Amino acid sequence: VTDRGSTASGVERLAVRVYIYARLMNLAQIVLALPAVLHQSSHPVASLGAAFVCLITGGRISRVASRRGFLAADRYLAADVLASVLALGAGLFFVPSAQLFTWVNWPYAISLLTAVAVGVTVSRWATGVVALGLMAVYLLNAARDLPAGSAGTILTNGLAYLAFASIGHVLLGHMRNLAALADAGREAERQLALERARRHLHGPKSLLELLSRDDLDPEVRRAVRADAVLAAAELQGFLSGVAPATTELARELRELSNLFSDLPLVLNVDALDADLTPELTFAVREAVRTALQNVREHAEASQVVLYAESDQRGWEVTVNDDGRGFAAQPEGFGLATLVRSALAEFGATTEITSEPNVGTTVLLRGVL
Amino acid sequence: VTLPQVVVIDDHRMWREGVRASLGGVADVVASHNCVEAYLAHPVAADLVLLDLQLDSPRNRTPTGATPMIGTTAVKTMTDHLPVLIQTSVPGDLILAACVAAGALGVVGKDAPVATLGDAIRSVHRGELYLDTALAGLLSVYARRQHAGLLGDQQASALKYRAQGLSLAQIAGMIGVEDPKTVHKYLKTATERLGMHSIDEAARRSGLASGLVNRVDLP
């Protein structure tokens, strides 16, 4: 997880934060319990040493994980596990077993958190093995001259290692999945917005390119300038989030063709008699505009035909020119990528066929 | 390479001069006249005639001072002498289908680029129908709306693809026939059929002067 703004990295940082807070509680417990432990332990130095080691390993993990943003199955975690084993040995074995049932029993809390930390970082099976190991160490150390009737309590405490490690594993696994979904959704949304922006900017880009040419034919320049006025208005609409609201595609195409008076354009759209949704109408019109802009810029055509028809089942629109054509679609051909994806959003298809020196046909098609 | 020899018949002098000037390298204009009657008075051999549909502008007169023949009558009369390519300012009009039925081998709009006129001249010179894209579009819609079933599937498809601007060779590929001449046949039959079935409709719909379409000129 590298993107610090993602939900996934947020989940990991949450896990780190919980780890650090819990370790701070461990620290508080150790400080409070230490006088009693030192007083009762048969080996005070060993008990003190074990506590010290646990604080060191916990501190190192906290520092490393908070810097990089996630808990990992690395040497720091391995050291943490070993420190917990050491604490269970030295901390439990050297104190009277009666202490196991009081708050002085700090190694238990320390090693339980270690089991959780392992649970959120390694696989299911590794989690089980480590949790069972810690449980075994705990039981071995705790099961000495127990007070009568306390076996059940000790066993339950032991099983808590498995339970806590599993809960940590499952809970964080679910949170990671949800985070991945959230991130994927956000990324898709971002791509879509980018795509829309590209689509809206492609037309103005072509216009700007044309207008910046010194050798532009005056007739083309006039048509392009008329187009630029409309493009500016539409860009304004896009920027302020106003959706176009028209469903009469044939009329839209007729109006659009007026902007290409510099092209030898024949308009055959009388066979189109379908009302599409405003969004689809807009997408088709923009697709046709892009196609016509491509003709204007690249084709050098002597005839361009805009044709449209519909029946009960579906509609189709074609832009055909007898210009230069192309053998393979050049990279960055705005038409192919932008038009195709824009129409695919509505289940409409785009086919582009071209042959050098014969011409290009763009076919847009959808069902009703 | 010898260029097609063309006779131009149009009632506007500047148009005749303009066509002659702009067809350099595409065709040789061997004669030009203001009406069919003027050509008939001095017929010359040529490969085709570029014929205007409306020759009845107010002051246009035949050599004998009469009103010139127009429309399908002009087409039928000229067809007996030369292959006819109609050049018209109303390319999207049903009248033109009737003209094809009367024997014209091509229709091209006066608003078309010179390159298109060149294509049309070469097509007609080869003996192929040249159907203006706008007219094909009109006929395609007309066939669907008013005359469902009048055209065969292949004819209807050929007309539709012509309306999209495809060439005969491209249409052949689209409808799966080997020879572009077959497409030519489909288009010709379809246009003639629609032309014959649309005479009344053409007369009613057209905003043009009456008398352009005459039933007796059609087969």
Side-chain angles (χ1 to χ4, degrees), chain A residues 268 270 302 309-310 316 320, chain B residues 113 133 144-145 163-164 166:
Chain A
N268 274 338
D270 292 335
S302 64
E309 67 163 57
S310 62
E316 75 175 57
N320 172 271
Chain B
T133 310
R144 289 156 59 121
R145 300 240 168 103
Q164 291 183 356
L166 301 188

Side-chain angles (χ1 to χ4, degrees), chain A residues 71 97 134 205 209 240 281 314:
Chain A
L71 287 167
S97 58
L134 287 172
K205 172 194 144 275
E209 273 173 3
S240 52
T281 305

Side-chain angles (χ1 to χ4, degrees), chain B residues 126 128-129 167-173 175 177-187:
Chain B
R126 284 194 301 270
E128 288 173 5
L129 178 75
S167 67
L168 294 197
Q170 286 175 310
I171 296 171
I175 64 175
V177 300
E178 288 275 316
D179 191 354
K181 283 210 175 70
T182 315
V183 178
H184 155 73
K185 221 174 293 170
Y186 287 149
L187 286 177

Side-chain angles (χ1 to χ4, degrees), chain B residues 153-166:
Chain B
D153 286 345
Q154 291 288 71
Q155 290 168 353
S157 296
L159 204 52
K160 168 185 158 171
Y161 288 126
R162 183 62 201 142
Q164 291 183 356
L166 301 188

Side-chain angles (χ1 to χ4, degrees), chain A residues 129-325:
Chain A
V129 168
V130 173
L132 277 174
L134 287 172
M135 182 175 112
V137 173
Y138 170 80
L139 290 177
L140 279 175
N141 286 297
R144 305 164 289 120
D145 62 44
L146 286 170
S150 60
T153 310
I154 293 294
L155 194 61
T156 311
N157 283 356
L159 285 173
Y161 286 100
L162 264 181
F164 273 69
S166 306
I167 288 170
H169 186 79
V170 170
L171 192 64
L172 211 71
H174 275 292
M175 285 173 74
R176 283 186 182 122
N177 288 344
L178 288 174
L181 283 175
D183 286 336
R186 210 157 34 196
E187 175 61 16
E189 182 62 31
R190 197 180 70 84
Q191 290 292 344
L192 202 64
L194 203 63
E195 187 79 33
R196 289 212 176 102
R198 274 200 211 111
R199 237 178 264 147
H200 278 271
L201 293 175
H202 184 263
K205 172 194 144 275
S206 309
L207 289 174
L208 287 174
E209 273 173 3
L210 278 173
L211 284 172
S212 65
R213 278 193 204 163
D214 286 333
D215 59 343
L216 197 63
D217 184 88
E219 195 192 345
V220 178
R221 185 183 296 275
R222 255 196 310 279
V224 169
R225 284 172 73 167
D227 200 358
V229 173
L230 260 93
E234 264 159 26
L235 207 53
Q236 178 62 43
F238 170 63
L239 292 175
S240 52
V242 181
T246 166
T247 57
E248 286 176 72
L249 183 56
R251 204 183 71 190
E252 288 295 312
L253 294 178
R254 279 192 199 96
E255 281 174 11
L256 181 66
S257 72
N258 292 335
L259 299 177
F260 291 87
S261 56
D262 55 313
L263 291 178
L265 184 64
V266 176
L267 195 63
N268 274 338
V269 299
D270 292 335
L272 179 67
D273 188 20
D275 265 5
L276 311 179
T277 63
E279 293 79 12
L280 180 54
T281 305
F282 180 75
V284 173
R285 191 193 66 184
E286 289 310 296
V288 170
R289 183 204 293 274
T290 308
L292 290 175
Q293 277 171 344
N294 269 285
V295 173
R296 175 189 272 158
E297 280 183 73
H298 308 294
E300 294 169 18
S302 64
Q303 182 179 266
V304 191
V305 182
L306 173 53
Y307 174 91
E309 67 163 57
S310 62
D311 57 22
Q312 294 85 355
R313 288 160 297 165
W315 56 269
E316 75 175 57
V317 175
T318 69
V319 177
N320 172 271
D321 71 74
D322 60 357
R324 289 198 313 207

